[in-house]
Each structure stands twice: as C-alpha cells, then as structure tokens.
Amino acid sequence: MRRAVALAGLVAALTGAPSGPAAAAVVAFSAEEKHAIARHGPWPPPWKRDAGNRHSGRAAAIAFGRTLFFDARLSRDGTHACASCHRPELAWADGQARSTGRALLDRNAPSIANSRFERWFGRDGGADSLWSHALRPLTDAREMAMTPALLAGRVREHADLLRAYRRVFGAPGDDDEALMVNLGKAIAAFQETIVTARTPFDAFRDALLRGDRAAMARYPEAAQRGLKLFVGRGNCSVCHFGPTFSNGEFADVGIPYFVAPGRVDPGRHAGIRHVVDSPFNLLGKYNDDRTRANATPTRHLLLEHRHWGEFKVPGLRNVGRTAPYMHAGSLTTLEQVVRHYSELNEDRLHADGERILRPLRLDTGEAADLVAFLESLSAPPARGARP
Ligand code: HEC
Ligand code: HEC
C-alpha cells in the first residue's frame, strides 16, 4: 500500500497531475485492524465515580483538592506541593529524568492526567486507590516528609485550610490519621477531573468507524502507517491497550533497573508488598465501598519472582508532551523509545520475560511513522487547569 501511494505520487509528479492536500491518502486497514483501532476509544470515556472515595465527584471536595494540590504548606519545610513535580504546564509531569524532592528520587514523575482510569497507582503500582496513593508523597521523607500529626497541625493552624476542611468534611476530630486520609480523598477528587482532551487520533478513529474518508484524510499519512504498525507487527497494543493505551498491567520491556551501582529498583515486586502491607489499602477501614467489591484485585495479589523489574504499562495519551520516558527517564525522545523497541536486546529481558517482545528491526521510514503516530496522541494543553 505504501509503495502504491509513493508510486501514485511519482506518477503525479511525472504527469504534472495535481497533488497536495486534496490528494491526501488514506491507508487501507483490514477488518481486524479496524477492530483493534476501535478499541482505543471512544474518548473521553464516560464519568464513573470512585466507589472507594465517598467524596469522588463532589464539587466542594474537588475545589479543596485543587487548592491542596498546589499548596506547599502540605510539605514539612514548605518547599514542595504536589504541583512541584506534576506541573500543569508540563502536561502534569515535571520534565526531569528523575524527580527531585528533598533528595533525588529513583523514578520519573508520570503525568497525573487520566489517573482515574488506572487500577494501580505509581510505576510499581504501590497503591490500589488514587486517594491512598496521595499519602505516599505526603509522608515520604524524600518528598513532602509529613506525618499525620504534622498535617493535622497545618490544617488546624491555618484559618483558610480549616474553613475549607470543615466545609467538605465537617469539624476535624482528634484522629490525625483519618484527617490525613480525608486530605488524600479531596486531592484524589481533584485529580479525577484531569482528563486529556481529544486528539487527532480520536478524530481519525471515529472517522474510520463511520467510513468518513474525507475526515480520515486529515490525519497525517505517516501517523496512519504508524498506527498500522502499532496495532499490527509492532504488537504495541497488546500492552498499550484500550482508550488510555494501557492494559493497566506490569511488564519488563528491557529497560535497565539499576538506580545506582549495586542498587536496583525492584519495580512491581516492591509495589505489591507495599499495597499488601499498607493500612490504607482497599481491604482496610478507609475504603468507602461497603461492598468491598473494589478490593477484589487487591485480595488476589500474589507476589512472584517475575515481578522483579516489572513496571506499569504507561498510558500513551499526551506522550509527546511528557518526555523523558520510562520509569527513570532513561530515554529522552520518542525516537529513542522507538529505537529501543526496534533494537530490543532480548538478553536484557527476564528469562521468563515477555514473549510478546521481539526486536522489530524497523527501517528509518517505519520508525518515523511510529513516532508520527505517537505524536498524534497528544491533545492541545488543557484549559482551566490552574486554580
Ligand atoms: C518530589 C516530586 C513529587 C512530588 C512532590 C509529588 N509527586 Fe507524584 N510522583 C512523583 C514520582 C517520581 C512518581 C512516580 C513514583 C513511583 O512510581 O513510585 C509520582 C507518581 C504519582 C502518581 C501516579 C500516577 C500513575 O500513573 O500511576 C500520582 C497520582 C501522583 N504522583 C500524585 C501526586 C500527589 C497527589 C502529590 C501530592 C500529595 C504528589 N504526587 C507529589 C513525583 C512527585
Ligand atoms: C510487553 C508489554 C509492552 C509492549 C508489547 C510494548 N510496551 Fe511500551 N511500555 C511498556 C512498559 C512496561 C513501559 C514502561 C517501562 C518502564 O517504565 O521502564 C512502556 C513504555 C513505553 C513508552 C514510554 C511512555 C512513558 O510515558 O514513559 C512508549 C512511548 C511506549 N512504551 C511505546 C510502545 C510502542 C511504540 C510499542 C510497540 C513497538 C510498545 N510500547 C510495546 C510495555 C509494553
């Protein structure tokens, strides 16, 4: 098909026939490919509240959560807010390979956009809810370094925080831990509202499904060819699946996980232990879903050796705006990511690693097509993100 299109161009050039935008081509997709493409939408998915967070979707909680997200008083020495590392103008990431809090962290800060569609939170899935995940940066000594008592103190001693807290949760009792959990739930309610906008890919997908060739032709041809690779020979959509381009699972794609000489990042292995050991997991008393239906995945967690060095499959929406890439920001550009999959060193994968992955050996044109497709997953910057 690609050759046919190139030939058509050549013929047009030789015969002086008109080319240009009107001649923009549509790549042929098989029924199977169309089916695979359809599953990457529709976007945005319908709103669904988080049953584990009784404040999910409540306007007052969302407003308080937004304030808290940008408030450095939530850190021990007043130097860090959540937004220090999840900056709205950087698509809610921080642009650094590894984030710096009070010390250099081991990992790259992912965007928090679309996080409400996740099942596990953090690159190791170390939390099973968005609200309990917020407690990690709040209390991690290298990040905001707070304790429940310090957080409760901040809320009580600042009139504006106390007023806002009362409006959402009522008077703070003397249970500091419960107060901290409430802050996490307000912050989560805010984060749930951050969803990436529709992209050129979404317009193409919808046009493909309704057979609107004129609308399809507005999507760059290189992106169309890249999409074909993505759902086909590249096998990418096995893991980067569904509307967010993530199946929500964990995998080893051969990215080295040494943090420093002699020290590795255990990835999912540590994440599972963290979820299971946490008093704030969905099996605990702070889960607002009285049916506990939302705790089933947590109940079934099983720690296995293969989890060493596995990391969460990141969603790819807005990926063109969240460089650098991978769990420790080791790849700087999308070209490098594509080269990684193209040249994949199979010796780096676990012996029991992903059979799905094989070096793709893409030629230069194919690599550029795949990059063009990945870039088409970015939305224009969200409006109204700032408080
Ligand atoms: C010092 C930088 C820093 C600060 C401050 C920080 N984060 Fe993060 N955030 C990170 C890093 C790094 C990761 C990846 C951590 C991991 O995988 O363990 C992350 C991961 C996340 C994720 C997981 C996203 C996903 O796709 O799984 C969410 C949600 C999040 N942070 C929200 C917050 C909130 C809420 C706060 C404030 C209470 C906060 N962060 C403060 C650096 C930071
Ligand atoms: C076996 C599952 C799997 C397959 C197949 C796969 N990926 Fe990934 N992908 C991952 C995981 C896991 C990561 C994160 C690795 C890490 O954090 O170290 C990732 C990371 C990425 C990233 C970086 C995202 C970010 O925000 O850091 C991009 C881009 C990407 N993959 C594109 C692709 C493309 C293109 C293909 C097909 C050629 C592909 N992936 C195939 C699992 C997979």
Side-chain angles (χ1 to χ4, degrees), residues 69 80-82 85-86 99-101 105 107-112 115 118 120-124 130 133-134 136-138 143-144 187 191 312:
F69 193 88
H80 286 82
C82 307
C85 303
H86 301 286
S99 293
T100 307
L105 307 184
R107 298 195 185 137
N108 170 266
S111 169
I112 55 147
S115 50
E118 306 274 348
W120 308 106
F121 301 83
R123 294 185 176 275
D124 59 1
L130 189 53
H133 179 274
R136 192 221 70 201
L138 284 173
E143 296 183 59
M144 296 159 90
I187 294 172
Q191 292 182 99
K312 192 164 75 176

Side-chain angles (χ1 to χ4, degrees), residues 25 46 49 56 66 82 108 114 129 168 173 175 207 213 216 234 248 261 265 271 273 297-298 320 348-349 380 382:
R49 63 182 296 280
S56 170
R66 176 185 288 116
C82 307
N108 170 266
N114 301 337
S129 69
V168 182
D175 184 343
R213 290 182 68 84
M216 284 165 71
D265 184 335
R273 297 172 66 141
T298 309
R348 276 238 182 97
L349 300 178

Side-chain angles (χ1 to χ4, degrees), residues 276-342:
V276 170
D277 292 346
S278 169
F280 305 107
N281 69 25
L282 294 176
L283 301 169
K285 64 177 175 182
Y286 295 109
N287 180 2
D288 292 331
D289 180 357
R290 291 290 157 235
T291 71
R292 289 291 188 272
N294 65 350
T296 305
T298 309
R299 199 173 294 117
H300 290 142
L301 277 176
L302 209 62
L303 194 62
E304 290 175 46
H305 182 73
R306 71 178 171 92
H307 294 305
W308 270 95
E310 283 187 349
F311 291 90
K312 192 164 75 176
V313 177
L316 298 181
R317 286 185 176 271
N318 267 359
V319 72
R321 298 173 54 212
T322 58
Y325 303 107
M326 306 305 186
H327 66 272
S330 54
L331 301 179
T332 316
T333 61
L334 288 175
E335 282 80 4
Q336 285 181 16
V337 174
V338 167
R339 195 178 312 137
H340 168 78
Y341 285 110
S342 185

Side-chain angles (χ1 to χ4, degrees), residues 123 230 234-236 238-240 250-253 255 311-316 319 322 324-327 334 337-338 341 354 356-357 360 370 374:
R123 294 185 176 275
F230 191 87
N235 261 340
C236 313
V238 173
C239 300
H240 297 286
F250 299 80
D252 169 13
V253 293
I255 298 294
F311 291 90
K312 192 164 75 176
V313 177
L316 298 181
V319 72
T322 58
Y325 303 107
M326 306 305 186
H327 66 272
L334 288 175
V337 174
V338 167
Y341 285 110
E354 308 296 335
I356 291 289
L357 287 167
L360 289 174
L370 204 43
L374 292 169

